[in-house]
Amino acid sequence: MKSAWVERDARAAVDRYGRDGITDELALRVYTTQLLGRDPKLVLHGGGNTSVKLRMTDLVGDEVDVLCVKGSGWDMGTIEPAGLPAVRLEALLKLRARTAMPDDEMVRVQRANLIDPMAPNPSVETLLHAFMPHKFVDHTHASAVLALIDQPDGEQRSRDVYGARMGYVPYVLPGFGLAKLAAGVFDADPTVEGLILAKHGIFTFGADAREAYERMIEMVTRAETRLQKNRTSVFVSGPIPQQSLALTEIAPILRGACAIKDASNEGAFTRFILAPRVSEAILNFVNGRDVADYARRGVITPDHTIRTKNWPVVLPAADARDPTWRAKARAAVATFMDDYKAYFARQNARVGGTRTMLDPAPRVALVPGIGLIGLGRTPKDAKIAADLAETAVDTITAADATGRFTPIGEDDMFDCEYWPLEQAKLGAAKPLPLAGQIAVVTGGGGAIGAATAKLFAAQGAAVAMLDIDGAAAAAKARDIPGALALTCDVTDAGAVTQAYAQVVAAFGGVDILVSNAGAAWQGRIGEVDDLALRKSFELNFFAHQTMARAAVRIMLAQGTGGCLLFNVSKQAVNPGPNFGPYGLPKAATLFLVRQYALDYGADGIRANAVNADRIRSGLLTEDFIAERAKARGLTEKDYMSGNLLGREVTADDVAQAFLAQALALKTTADVTTVDGGNIAAALR
Ligand SMILES: [Zn+2]
């Protein structure tokens, strides 16, 4: 590992922040924090923190000593000065005299001594930073250090590599107790350049930003060098099927197996998004004969437990010739959940029954022959779980190649997983109505498709936007965080299969289809060109069927129901003159909705339609509106509001109707009219 310090960049940071009145030391603190945070071998998703001790003017103008320490909610790789809230140092140092301190009180004292009352909560490791006398303190969970010390003889290995240059702190849960213990180790030998925290990570100290940072790089490099010595080859491969199921077949089965039925709302599930990963190192790990042993020993550093749980679920090798794989995979997940509930019951009894169980679903799945899969309630959470799992693979592989990976025990893992301060990192926000669901929207580049995708994403869904004009879908997707834009001609069955494969590879499955793509062909029905009529049927009927059939196949593999939503238009019930080529296939699609509702109701798959009219879109362009209004002697406004309510109907109104149908778990074969009122188009 090499130092990434670049003198010119450091000076640029000093100049840039200096213009906002930030001191050189704080600017360099930000600079090296970013350097640490950008290297996944050092820091991943909140696993680390840094600090600097400064003098600062408080809000009433007094000069005080402060500790600027990483605030929660900030990512080290992208941190800014506001991400290092200043806390009065004197108040923090006073706490050293105490013998014990509950976590909530520690948090209150830290908050009460912030210079800026609006600043984020200081890190849970604030007191450890405060108790070290050095100006700069850096902390990471570097994977090489973890591979070195997550061993039965971790202390001896630390001494072998670092001698007396690094202090060694036995494992305790982060917080007041760890800060006191670390301060004691430091006081016993104040010449140390840093501390190794057993089963947890590493601290380095410095008089300036560069010294603390480069000590971190040096100490991690020493661990890396040691890990290259006397390596044995590990992980004897287990039997891997000659022909594996594809990831696109496995993922929906895993999603379904992990979904948890909501006991209070029939038809509702707690669902997960999937983030698959594969690499040579991951395959070497998951294909090992003894994967169920080494993968399930525990977490490489305690704070991973809130993202990955303490163990992954290990699925059976996905043999394409084994018709019982789905049942075996579901059984493996069910066993995982039973084990988790038993673990919780056992541990909660130990701590006096004071904790509330989190959901028992796994956050990491290992599939021999395929790779690893992260799970989360959002695409971001799934990615974080996969990132941490990938780092765990590297760390455990290195640990077992040089010894035996030995993490903290179950009691310590539980104390960390159910530590209120760790739970706070996840946020207590109520999940959004569509959290964990995956929605595929066709015609995603158009007005109604884009409005629907945006609304569904805002309600928590992972959204894929398909459009024959991929650039249009991509342009609309730019406004929607995490949305996947795909080019897809929905009248091409092969393209549809491929689009679903991409959605499943990105998110793991599909729960909601919004089959919206359409186009209006016109012509007097007795004179219309046969080819035009057939083309209209391809897009306005058969494409809906192709999309729905492929969605249903995935939904059945998941076994958690699903929702098919169709845009059928007013033409399906109330034909307009010369709109036969458009209305006829739409009428067939209205019947298609009913057929799906009938045939798949028992599987929990609902089918509903929105019957919209006169929406500004690709079908009803501004030019077309102007022409129509003029032909009828109306203003554009009067033309667009020509309905019973006298209100123009928008793409957002249609999106709201689709959302209502997606959420109405007891409603199927419904047609919702969104047209401002048109009695001739009212459904019987
Ligand atoms: Zn830590």
Side-chain angles (χ1 to χ4, degrees):
M1 175 164 287
K2 294 229 156 34
S3 168
W5 178 285
V6 176
E7 193 57 37
R8 197 174 25 151
D9 293 351
R11 274 202 305 273
V14 166
D15 290 346
R16 186 169 68 250
Y17 292 121
R19 275 177 239 126
D20 299 330
I22 303 292
T23 62
D24 295 8
E25 284 168 332
L26 185 54
L28 291 172
R29 175 70 288 175
V30 170
Y31 172 63
T32 57
T33 302
Q34 289 180 354
L35 293 184
L36 294 169
R38 284 173 192 165
D39 188 340
K41 285 188 158 56
L42 293 173
V43 169
L44 266 181
H45 304 298
N49 39 65
T50 59
S51 68
V52 58
K53 297 178 184 78
L54 300 170
R55 271 186 85 71
M56 190 179 264
T57 311
D58 70 10
L59 295 182
V60 295
D62 291 339
E63 280 258 311
V64 288
D65 289 322
V66 297
L67 175 78
C68 290
V69 62
K70 185 188 157 283
S72 64
W74 283 83
D75 184 316
M76 284 173 67
T78 55
I79 202 159
E80 291 294 323
L84 290 150
V87 196
R88 288 170 199 275
L89 187 57
E90 201 188 336
L92 297 177
L93 292 176
K94 259 190 198 166
L95 300 177
R96 175 114 193 246
R98 301 210 190 174
T99 48
M101 191 172 190
D103 297 324
D104 53 347
E105 196 183 335
M106 181 181 82
V107 170
R108 272 156 54 90
V109 173
Q110 289 174 7
R111 272 214 76 78
N113 285 285
L114 284 166
I115 296 296
D116 175 0
M118 307 307 281
N121 270 344
S123 156
V124 297
E125 278 152 347
T126 293
L127 288 181
L128 205 166
H129 286 263
F131 294 168
M132 298 302 134
H134 311 81
K135 195 161 191 66
F136 286 83
V137 176
D138 293 17
H139 170 48
T140 72
H141 300 164
S143 33
V145 172
L146 293 172
L148 176 74
I149 60 172
D150 282 358
Q151 300 282 348
D153 56 347
E155 180 168 7
Q156 189 53 48
R157 284 170 191 250
S158 172
R159 300 247 176 268
D160 290 348
V161 170
Y162 300 117
R165 292 180 67 190
M166 299 290 278
Y168 186 85
V169 184
Y171 180 81
V172 291
L173 186 70
F176 181 77
L178 175 59
K180 279 276 283 194
L181 189 62
V185 170
F186 176 79
D187 286 352
D189 180 5
T191 67
V192 295
E193 296 163 58
L195 298 172
I196 296 294
L197 271 52
K199 321 276 189 198
H200 173 163
I202 170 171
F203 277 77
T204 53
F205 313 135
D208 59 46
R210 185 168 186 170
E211 185 178 44
Y213 166 73
E214 291 193 335
R215 272 186 180 155
M216 177 66 71
I217 300 301
E218 187 202 337
M219 298 306 170
V220 174
T221 306
R222 283 175 172 273
E224 286 177 336
T225 307
R226 170 64 182 83
L227 293 174
Q228 292 315 314
K229 266 194 252 164
N230 308 328
R231 261 179 108 99
T232 56
S233 64
V234 283
F235 307 156
V236 178
S237 185
I240 299 302
Q242 292 199 319
Q243 203 190 344
S244 277
L245 288 169
L247 174 68
T248 48
E249 293 169 286
I250 288 167
I253 292 172
L254 175 63
R255 266 195 97 220
C258 294
I260 299 167
K261 247 190 191 126
D262 182 344
S264 65
N265 187 8
E266 213 174 336
F269 289 85
T270 296
R271 294 178 168 92
F272 297 90
I273 308 293
L274 270 47
R277 288 292 159 80
V278 68
S279 70
E280 207 179 310
I282 290 171
L283 283 176
N284 175 51
F285 188 87
V286 301
N287 291 353
R289 186 190 59 200
D290 303 321
V291 60
D293 160 41
Y294 54 76
R296 289 174 52 94
R297 278 184 223 149
V299 286
I300 58 170
T301 184
D303 79 347
H304 282 203
T305 176
I306 58 167
R307 296 293 195 174
T308 63
K309 291 216 156 98
N310 298 322
W311 320 278
V313 61
V314 180
L315 298 183
D319 191 339
R321 292 159 311 179
D322 179 3
T324 65
W325 190 80
R326 182 174 187 266
K328 286 178 184 163
R330 292 181 74 91
V333 172
T335 301
F336 178 97
M337 293 201 196
D338 288 345
D339 289 350
Y340 186 85
K341 288 174 194 166
Y343 149 79
F344 177 81
R346 180 162 77 230
Q347 288 291 333
N348 194 36
R350 180 179 62 85
V351 300
T354 51
R355 302 290 195 265
T356 306
M357 195 181 81
L358 300 165
D359 78 66
R363 292 300 188 273
V364 178
L366 306 183
V367 197
I370 296 293
L372 72 79
I373 300 174
L375 292 93
R377 292 280 278 148
T378 65
K380 189 176 163 213
D381 286 349
K383 181 186 177 297
I384 290 174
D387 286 348
L388 297 182
E390 201 172 347
T391 295
V393 162
D394 290 341
T395 305
I396 295 169
T397 302
D400 265 21
T402 51
R404 180 185 162 84
F405 169 61
T406 310
I408 53 174
E410 183 184 288
D411 292 1
D412 288 327
M413 285 190 235
F414 180 85
D415 288 345
C416 199
E417 185 177 9
Y418 284 88
W419 188 33
L421 297 192
E422 284 292 353
Q423 291 299 319
K425 282 191 193 169
L426 298 177
K430 197 168 173 279
L432 291 164
L434 294 178
Q437 299 212 45
I438 299 160
V440 171
V441 182
T442 70
I448 293 174
T452 305
K454 192 169 185 176
L455 181 63
F456 279 37
Q459 297 296 314
V463 175
M465 301 161 76
L466 278 49
D467 204 293
I468 193 167
D469 182 350
K476 301 283 190 191
R478 272 196 279 278
D479 293 340
I480 305 173
L484 179 69
L486 297 173
T487 306
C488 179
D489 175 356
V490 291
T491 64
D492 174 349
V496 167
T497 302
Q498 196 164 12
Y500 274 109
Q502 286 174 276
V503 174
V504 173
F507 299 131
V510 62
D511 304 295
I512 303 167
L513 165 66
V514 183
S515 191
N516 161 70
W521 276 267
Q522 295 180 52
R524 210 169 168 202
I525 198 64
E527 296 147 40
V528 72
D529 173 36
D530 215 25
L531 189 65
L533 186 59
R534 284 179 189 279
K535 272 190 164 169
S536 183
F537 262 90
E538 284 299 335
L539 179 59
N540 292 313
F541 173 72
F542 283 106
H544 289 293
Q545 159 64 358
T546 309
M547 286 301 300
R549 185 176 54 204
V552 162
R553 192 168 167 263
I554 296 169
M555 289 170 183
L556 292 175
Q558 291 169 166
T560 51
C563 182
L564 308 171
L565 301 173
F566 299 85
N567 185 345
V568 295
S569 161
K570 160 244 172 198
Q571 293 296 328
V573 285
N574 175 220
N578 300 330
F579 267 105
Y582 181 53
L584 286 164
K586 285 289 194 182
T589 299
L590 180 64
F591 214 85
L592 185 73
V593 175
R594 294 172 178 177
Q595 201 66 51
Y596 269 102
L598 179 64
D599 287 350
Y600 293 96
D603 298 296
I605 297 172
R606 299 174 296 118
N608 297 303
V610 169
N611 185 359
D613 191 27
R614 216 170 279 187
I615 317 284
R616 289 181 202 265
S617 68
L619 294 191
L620 194 52
T621 61
E622 299 298 329
D623 288 350
F624 186 78
I625 293 166
E627 180 195 311
R628 278 290 172 107
K630 197 173 162 203
R632 298 194 190 182
L634 296 170
T635 64
E636 277 184 40
K637 166 80 185 136
D638 286 344
Y639 172 71
M640 290 306 290
S641 314
N643 54 47
L644 298 177
L645 293 168
R647 295 173 188 161
E648 179 175 344
V649 184
T650 68
D652 288 331
D653 297 319
V654 182
Q656 287 289 349
F658 278 133
L659 177 64
Q661 290 178 330
L663 294 173
L665 294 176
K666 314 296 161 68
T667 298
T668 191
D670 171 59
V671 181
T672 295
T673 298
V674 186
D675 61 3
N678 173 352
I679 214 66
L683 290 154
R684 283 168 178 272

